[in-house]
Amino acid sequence: MATKYLLGEDQIPRYWYNVMADLPTPPEPVIHPGTLKPVGPDDLAPLFPMALIEQEMSPEREIPIPEEVREALAKWRPAPLFRAHGLEKAIGTRSHIYYKYEGVSPAGSHKPNTAVAQAYYNAKAGVKRLATETGAGQWGSSLAYAGGLFGLEVTVYMVKISYQQKPYRRSMMQTWGAEVLASPTNRTNAGRAILEKDPDSRGSLGIAISEAVEDAASREDTKYALGSVLNHVCTHQTVIGLEAIEQMKLAGEYPDVVIGAHGGGSNFAGIAFPFLRDKINGKEVRLLAAEPASCPTLTKGVYAFDYGDTAGLTPIVKMHTLGHDFMPPGIHAGGLRYHGASPLVSKLVHEGLVEAVAYAQRPCFEAAITFARTEGIIPAPESSHAIKAAVEEAKKADAEGKSRVILFNLSGHGHFDLAAYDAYLAGDLEDYEYPREAVEQSMAKLPKVEL
Ligand SMILES: *Cc1c(COP(=O)(O)O)cnc(C)c1O
């Protein structure tokens, strides 16, 4: 039996799959943070080039991938699909476990899949500079790399706690030519307002987004780029699932369940949406998003209109949210620390087409270590949530006396997250469940959107 399933470069997908064409009910409108009324394309123009705004709202099922983007993707795509023989043996399951490995990109995760597309459309629109935020550094490094490819300057507002804890992600961004700032900074009104209240602020993704959006909105030559959550980002990531469908054919199997770790939703969307098209067309397949119990957006968050950032500068979208004032607990070692979620994934969870589950970090690291010792690859802490979910699905099948085909997305490697592994191995990590009361308190601060 084969260990990996590979495709040729000519099999890099020629289009992205846009799930908006197949939703059972229309997508919810995007709301202007000032007027609290639905936005039009022009309202988003200070932040994004028109080609991406069109994709954000597109009803087209298949969006052609420009040849320049396919050429950039060819540096690491098609990504391999592995059969997890070692993991299956270690946990003693009769289920078949497959994983799509996105750690082969230059930045080591799935994020360059959208970074190269976003850099391409911005460069084509004459944009000179991109501003963005990064938490653990995965997105900042992906955009730093992609921006460089297409001749763009990149400024990254990096959450201060990560800036201090993950110096090598910063080194990567600087190596690829980006400017990296520890957020909150003194450069923006949003940053200064936070520092005035709390000079020792550790920062958060919500704050860093406010800074990057303000930067982009206040400069003519600059646009903003987001690494997850938005529809066009999810669409760009569907190359993962489109390839996986072909690779599962090579393996002669079709998954019973497709799993992705969930932060803002992009890698999950990437692997799951192409299978969702099959599901909507009558195939039996379950789609499962796995998130951390410390940031349980899909499982404990409320499906409501909320801001994408802390300062309330971004458009308001309907999504599962823990509240835009969410401050992630400092003990959490992985990424996946955003208060919101992709509106598309949120809607699909709300409509029962996608399932969600939350796991504490220690059992996830335990699964990651079993995986590393049997499959070799050291997973990103984010990806370990998908591994944990896959192992649990296999165990459930065994308990029912069944054999299932399980496919998960290994969204990245953990070579820059070894401090988190150190903390786990030293017994320093604690499990923390974000309390429902904290979600309820934040709900009082939701914007009052009336449609
Ligand atoms: C950013 C990241 C995630 C989480 O983001 P999503 O948008 O939910 O995919 C997961 N895994 C890795 C390796 C990441 O870098």
Side-chain angles (χ1 to χ4, degrees):
M1 266 179 303
T3 296
K4 59 184 181 305
Y5 299 90
L6 303 173
L7 303 173
E9 275 181 28
D10 57 332
Q11 289 167 289
I12 295 171
R14 291 178 191 278
Y15 68 90
W16 291 297
Y17 168 61
N18 175 19
V19 78
M20 276 183 285
D22 290 324
L23 291 178
T25 57
E28 308 295 332
V30 174
I31 304 297
H32 193 286
T35 64
L36 296 185
K37 297 274 177 262
V39 298
D42 290 345
D43 293 315
L44 297 175
L47 297 184
F48 304 106
M50 206 41 82
L52 291 176
I53 295 172
E54 278 164 14
Q55 288 180 10
E56 192 61 20
M57 305 177 169
S58 171
E60 297 296 322
R61 184 166 289 113
E62 296 183 350
I63 297 175
I65 305 179
E67 213 33 55
E68 293 91 328
V69 174
R70 284 187 79 241
E71 273 167 30
L73 292 174
K75 280 269 193 297
W76 66 93
R77 304 209 74 83
L81 178 95
F82 289 89
R83 171 86 182 265
H85 292 298
L87 179 66
E88 287 173 18
K89 206 159 139 207
I91 63 172
T93 185
R94 41 181 156 166
S95 286
H96 296 180
I97 304 178
Y98 294 85
Y99 58 95
K100 178 80 169 158
Y101 183 41
E102 291 294 318
V104 292
S105 78
S109 76
H110 64 290
K111 291 197 173 77
N113 295 333
T114 182
V116 293
Q118 293 190 43
Y120 165 79
Y121 287 113
N122 274 286
K124 210 172 151 223
V127 174
K128 296 284 173 267
R129 177 173 171 271
L130 291 174
T132 196
E133 71 290 329
T134 198
Q138 289 272 21
W139 170 242
S141 49
S142 302
L143 196 71
Y145 165 69
L149 279 187
F150 290 95
L152 297 167
E153 280 176 54
V154 177
T155 290
V156 183
Y157 292 84
M158 184 173 191
V159 176
K160 193 179 279 167
I161 180 90
S162 304
Y163 187 91
Q164 291 159 349
Q165 284 180 349
K166 307 209 170 194
Y168 297 128
R169 280 268 164 208
R170 170 170 53 70
S171 313
M172 285 175 85
M173 293 184 250
Q174 290 166 337
T175 299
W176 278 318
E179 172 189 42
V180 188
L181 307 165
S183 163
T185 72
N186 269 317
R187 266 213 202 173
T188 64
N189 292 328
R192 284 188 292 269
I194 297 283
L195 288 174
E196 220 162 86
K197 271 193 249 159
D198 177 10
D200 299 322
S201 170
R202 289 179 286 137
S204 72
L205 262 186
I207 294 168
I209 294 175
S210 298
E211 292 207 89
V213 166
E214 184 182 327
D215 179 321
S218 58
R219 275 181 61 162
E220 199 53 46
D221 64 345
T222 302
K223 297 258 186 257
Y224 170 67
L226 189 61
S228 184
V229 178
L230 298 177
N231 302 347
H232 68 265
V233 179
C234 292
T235 299
H236 294 161
Q237 291 295 353
T238 57
V239 290
I240 302 171
L242 291 167
E243 288 175 5
I245 284 177
E246 296 307 314
Q247 288 162 308
M248 290 303 297
K249 280 185 200 158
L250 292 181
E253 303 214 77
Y254 190 87
D256 295 297
V257 57
V258 177
I259 300 169
H262 188 277
S266 73
N267 91 86
F268 171 75
I271 191 139
F273 284 0
F275 288 96
L276 184 74
R277 169 162 58 174
D278 288 353
K279 186 181 175 81
I280 288 167
N281 290 327
K283 264 254 198 237
E284 233 176 89
V285 53
R286 289 173 51 223
L287 308 168
L288 178 61
E291 65 181 9
S294 57
C295 184
T297 320
L298 295 177
T299 53
K300 270 193 190 160
V302 174
Y303 185 51
F305 281 101
D306 198 5
Y307 299 105
D309 68 331
T310 303
L313 299 175
T314 64
I316 297 164
V317 294
K318 192 158 185 186
M319 61 182 174
H320 282 81
T321 176
L322 298 168
H324 58 273
D325 61 344
F326 173 74
M327 279 301 283
I331 52 167
H332 186 232
L336 315 181
R337 288 181 278 195
Y338 183 57
H339 70 273
S342 145
L344 288 172
V345 174
S346 294
K347 186 176 180 64
L348 291 162
V349 168
H350 185 69
E351 292 183 354
L353 287 163
V354 165
E355 300 164 47
V357 64
Y359 293 112
Q361 63 181 346
R362 280 191 300 197
C364 290
F365 271 101
E366 193 189 339
I369 284 184
T370 304
F371 185 88
R373 290 178 185 174
T374 54
E375 296 296 318
I377 299 165
I378 299 175
E382 293 90 338
S383 315
S384 71
H385 295 78
I387 301 173
K388 172 68 180 163
V391 168
E392 288 305 311
E393 285 295 324
K395 285 186 177 160
K396 246 193 294 176
D398 290 327
E400 292 166 20
K402 298 209 165 102
S403 164
R404 296 216 170 89
V405 178
I406 299 164
L407 167 65
F408 73 89
N409 193 25
L410 187 64
S411 50
H413 66 64
H415 297 179
F416 296 90
D417 303 290
L418 292 174
Y421 277 88
D422 278 349
Y424 172 74
L425 293 170
D428 290 342
L429 287 190
E430 286 170 36
D431 287 341
Y432 170 80
E433 211 171 292
Y434 193 69
R436 208 171 275 284
E437 300 78 66
V439 183
E440 278 158 22
Q441 276 169 19
S442 287
M443 291 306 110
K445 294 169 205 148
L446 290 182
K448 307 268 178 288
V449 175
E450 286 166 34
L451 293 174

